[in-house]
Amino acid sequence: MSSIMRSIILAFCWVYIRKFQSRQESEVVSTITAICALAIALITSALLPVDIFLVSFMKYPNGTYKVRMAANNVTRAKIEDSVLYGYYTLYSVILFCVFLWIPFVYFYYEEKDDDNTNKCSQVKGALKYTVGFAIVCTALLLIGAFVPLEPPHQNTTQWEKVQYLFEELGSGHGIPALSFSISSLTLIGMLAVITYTAYGMSVLPLNLIKGTRSVAYERLENTEDMDDVEQQIENLKSKCKDGRPLSSRDRRSLQELEGKLQVLRRRSRHLEIAERNCCTKVGSALRPFKIVLGIFFILVALLFVIALFISNLDKALHSAGISSGFVVFGTNLTNPLNELLLALQPVFPLDYILITVITVYFVFTSMAGIRNMGIWFFWIRVTLQIRPKKTRPQALLFLCMILLLIVLHTSYMIYSLAPQYVMYGSQKYPLPSVNNATFSTSRICDADAPEDQCTVTRSYLFLHKFWFFSSIYYFGNWAFIATFLIGLVVSCCKGKKSVIEGEVEADDSDLSDDEYIH
């Protein structure tokens, strides 16, 4: 990956984190951690297009290997290994982030009760919780290292079995321990994709199409609500004008109404600022463009869901079943996205641009889903919220951890959308003529191709190392489709968002408004 691409990713991560970061509670360590974690997630997601490009680059359009590639298999092996080691390096960094770095920084700030908190006690408390994550990581590595895919023969001695385990640990151009650990995290990423990405694919385009409510109408409505609440407060206070104390029920009602009035007054200030803001006026001028963009995004989402449905249906009809991980070599049903990528192959580099756009699309829809849904732990909503300029350091760290896990599952999602293309890229192999003397035509690589004529992407081999994970991913794809359809219905039923969505909450302080006013 070029230095320009890395610079663009880092710049985007800095802008994104600063956009949502609370100015009052910002911390240098948490900011750096969040930016680095988000950058790692995006860089890892960009590795799949590179993997596909490299295996395709080895061959000419007619299916023959390029001269330096065909000279010996060592060159091809070096290219394949460089991609594989790239995956291992980035995945190792993700393991470090998920199990050590992010948990330590998160709990470091959780241990901070006030400004007088001892730094030493914060570090000790954070280490105490981080050790638990480290133990889980170690357990996963050990399971992956010492549970081989194929058991040793029954008639071997105990020492031979131990030798076999260590041979398995270092064989196969890969690290089973790392692969098992990453696959385990990918399962969590699958849950995040089902929850956030599926919903984000529906809510992002529909929000663009529906737009936001009118600022003038919101100000009028807010003024009416303020008048109504002030009238209720006056009615309650009139009960004690003759010296009689208010009942406990009336005191609670008065306290709630005063809190509600305070929120409404803050909303009024924010709406006034939004009405004068030039960004609001520019947004209104760009309204037609947003509608067109929203329609395009919803069509893309429907294309993805249809492609995913066809791919899963193909696996259900033509795979060997759950014991094989529902693996299908090639495609038996026409997949629109797979066919589109194959059709774009002759026009370099349109197919690589499209696969990159698909990868980035998943990341951005995941971000949209997290922002709109908030952070959930199963059916319990976590109090940490993702809001512009008011997101606490812990919430930013949570966001980046979720995105790291989502990126791990994104590669399998893209494989499900275009299985043949992700497996072989744009490779073709030459077909011999009738007399077997010369090569006359070429064919797109598939499962029927000779083993030495088509190179499988390292991503495919990494994803299908453990059959039982592939089986779980298969059922996860069905859940993804169901969640998208439910999210689409919910998003259609929802009204327009407020122009100051997420800026004012009941638990905000008046001091926090300075982040928007200044």
Side-chain angles (χ1 to χ4, degrees):
M1 186 180 297
S2 66
S3 58
I4 297 176
M5 181 62 69
R6 287 195 295 268
S7 301
I8 293 173
I9 290 175
L10 285 173
F12 167 79
C13 294
W14 184 84
V15 172
Y16 186 85
I17 295 299
R18 294 294 292 175
K19 175 185 176 183
F20 288 93
Q21 185 181 51
S22 171
R23 302 296 184 266
Q24 292 180 321
E25 299 184 62
S26 62
E27 299 283 351
V28 176
V29 177
S30 66
T31 302
I32 294 174
T33 301
I35 291 173
C36 291
L38 185 57
I40 291 166
L42 295 177
I43 291 171
T44 305
S45 67
L47 192 57
L48 178 62
V50 174
D51 187 7
I52 296 172
F53 170 78
L54 287 177
V55 296
S56 303
F57 180 74
M58 297 180 185
K59 296 194 127 188
Y60 290 113
N62 63 2
T64 58
Y65 278 108
K66 295 182 178 179
V67 176
R68 59 175 180 173
M69 303 294 178
N72 56 54
N73 293 331
V74 176
T75 306
R76 295 205 301 268
K78 285 182 178 179
I79 295 175
E80 295 165 16
D81 288 343
S82 65
V83 177
L84 189 62
Y85 296 148
Y87 275 112
Y88 284 147
T89 301
L90 287 173
Y91 286 162
S92 298
V93 173
I94 289 176
L95 277 181
F96 173 74
C97 290
V98 171
F99 286 108
L100 295 174
W101 188 9
I102 294 179
F104 175 80
V105 178
Y106 176 86
F107 289 111
Y108 177 82
Y109 289 106
E110 279 293 305
E111 291 292 311
K112 185 178 180 180
D113 297 328
D114 51 56
D115 295 334
N116 297 323
T117 306
N118 192 323
K119 298 292 183 183
C120 239
S121 63
Q122 281 183 254
V123 172
K124 288 179 182 178
L127 285 174
K128 179 177 64 177
Y129 292 108
T130 308
V131 166
F133 283 86
I135 291 173
V136 173
C137 181
T138 304
L140 291 175
L141 290 171
L142 289 175
I143 292 172
F146 294 102
V147 179
L149 298 178
E150 296 180 2
H153 299 293
Q154 296 295 326
N155 57 354
T156 55
T157 64
Q158 292 297 321
W159 173 246
E160 288 174 338
K161 290 181 180 180
V162 172
Q163 285 183 315
Y164 174 78
L165 291 175
F166 278 98
E167 288 172 0
E168 284 290 307
L169 178 63
S171 64
H173 296 287
I175 307 173
L178 178 61
S179 180
F180 186 88
S181 303
I182 290 296
S183 298
S184 301
L185 286 181
T186 305
L187 289 184
I188 306 175
M190 181 189 73
L191 297 177
V193 166
I194 293 170
T195 305
Y196 298 113
T197 310
Y199 180 66
M201 284 173 60
S202 61
V203 73
L204 177 62
L206 288 177
N207 281 346
L208 288 171
I209 294 171
K210 290 186 291 187
T212 58
R213 300 172 65 190
S214 168
V215 182
Y217 178 78
E218 278 200 77
R219 288 194 67 185
L220 178 62
E221 189 180 59
N222 191 75
T223 302
E224 292 175 353
D225 290 340
M226 287 173 60
D227 293 339
D228 183 55
V229 171
E230 287 174 348
Q231 184 61 44
Q232 293 181 53
I233 291 174
E234 287 297 323
N235 292 338
L236 283 175
K237 289 183 176 180
S238 64
K239 293 182 179 181
C240 60
K241 282 185 178 179
D242 56 357
R244 290 182 301 171
L246 290 174
S247 64
S248 58
R249 180 180 177 182
D250 287 339
R251 285 198 301 271
R252 285 195 302 270
S253 298
L254 182 61
Q255 188 176 5
E256 290 174 3
L257 288 170
E258 287 176 343
K260 186 177 179 180
L261 181 61
Q262 187 179 13
V263 173
L264 290 171
R265 285 173 176 167
R266 290 212 313 273
R267 280 184 60 85
S268 179
R269 292 199 297 271
H270 282 252
L271 287 169
E272 185 180 352
I273 295 168
E275 193 172 31
R276 298 196 309 263
N277 197 335
C278 61
C279 293
T280 306
K281 298 175 182 178
V282 172
S284 300
L286 295 176
R287 186 83 190 91
F289 174 75
K290 289 182 179 180
I291 293 174
V292 173
L293 191 61
I295 294 172
F296 172 74
F297 279 163
I298 198 67
L299 291 176
V300 170
L302 290 174
L303 173 64
F304 285 176
V305 171
I306 292 171
L308 190 61
F309 175 80
I310 293 174
S311 177
N312 257 28
L313 185 62
D314 191 8
K315 292 178 182 179
L317 296 176
H318 301 105
S319 71
I322 192 171
S323 60
S324 66
F326 293 98
V327 174
V328 176
F329 296 101
T331 54
N332 302 285
L333 301 177
T334 303
N335 187 315
L337 191 58
N338 193 80
E339 294 299 320
L340 177 60
L341 284 165
L342 294 175
L344 292 176
Q345 288 178 7
V347 187
F348 178 84
L350 289 184
D351 52 338
Y352 305 113
I353 293 174
L354 180 57
I355 200 72
T356 304
V357 169
I358 291 171
T359 304
V360 174
Y361 177 82
F362 274 115
V363 174
F364 277 88
T365 52
S366 302
M367 291 176 174
I370 295 171
R371 286 200 310 270
N372 283 273
M373 287 187 65
I375 300 173
W376 291 74
F377 183 75
F378 293 100
W379 59 89
I380 303 172
R381 182 166 185 170
V382 181
T383 55
L384 301 174
Q385 297 182 15
I386 309 298
R387 294 188 293 156
K389 299 183 181 179
K390 289 192 176 183
T391 306
R392 298 177 59 197
Q394 295 93 322
L396 281 176
L397 294 171
F398 235 107
L399 168 66
C400 294
M401 181 178 282
I402 292 172
L403 286 174
L404 282 171
L405 297 174
I406 286 175
V407 164
L408 290 177
H409 190 67
T410 298
S411 296
Y412 186 83
M413 285 292 298
I414 297 176
Y415 164 74
S416 299
L417 291 171
Q420 185 177 0
Y421 183 81
V422 172
M423 189 172 178
Y424 294 107
S426 60
Q427 293 179 87
K428 295 181 180 179
Y429 66 97
L431 294 174
S433 60
V434 178
N435 57 11
N436 290 326
T438 59
F439 294 104
S440 56
T441 60
S442 61
R443 180 178 175 182
I444 295 174
C445 283
D446 54 20
D448 298 326
E451 188 176 349
D452 61 339
Q453 286 295 325
C454 293
T455 305
V456 179
T457 59
R458 302 300 94 181
S459 173
Y460 175 84
L461 296 178
F462 196 92
L463 289 170
H464 294 87
K465 196 171 186 66
F466 299 95
W467 65 268
F468 43 87
F469 285 122
S470 299
S471 298
I472 299 173
Y473 300 154
Y474 165 79
F475 292 108
N477 285 345
W478 289 117
F480 178 89
I481 295 171
T483 304
F484 169 79
L485 295 176
I486 294 171
L488 190 62
V489 173
V490 172
S491 300
C492 289
C493 295
K494 279 187 173 182
K496 294 182 178 181
K497 293 174 61 176
S498 170
V499 73
I500 57 168
E501 184 77 21
E503 293 185 12
V504 180
E505 296 290 343
D507 57 350
D508 291 337
S509 64
D510 290 329
L511 185 61
S512 65
D513 285 345
D514 293 340
E515 298 181 0
Y516 289 94
I517 295 172
H518 298 295

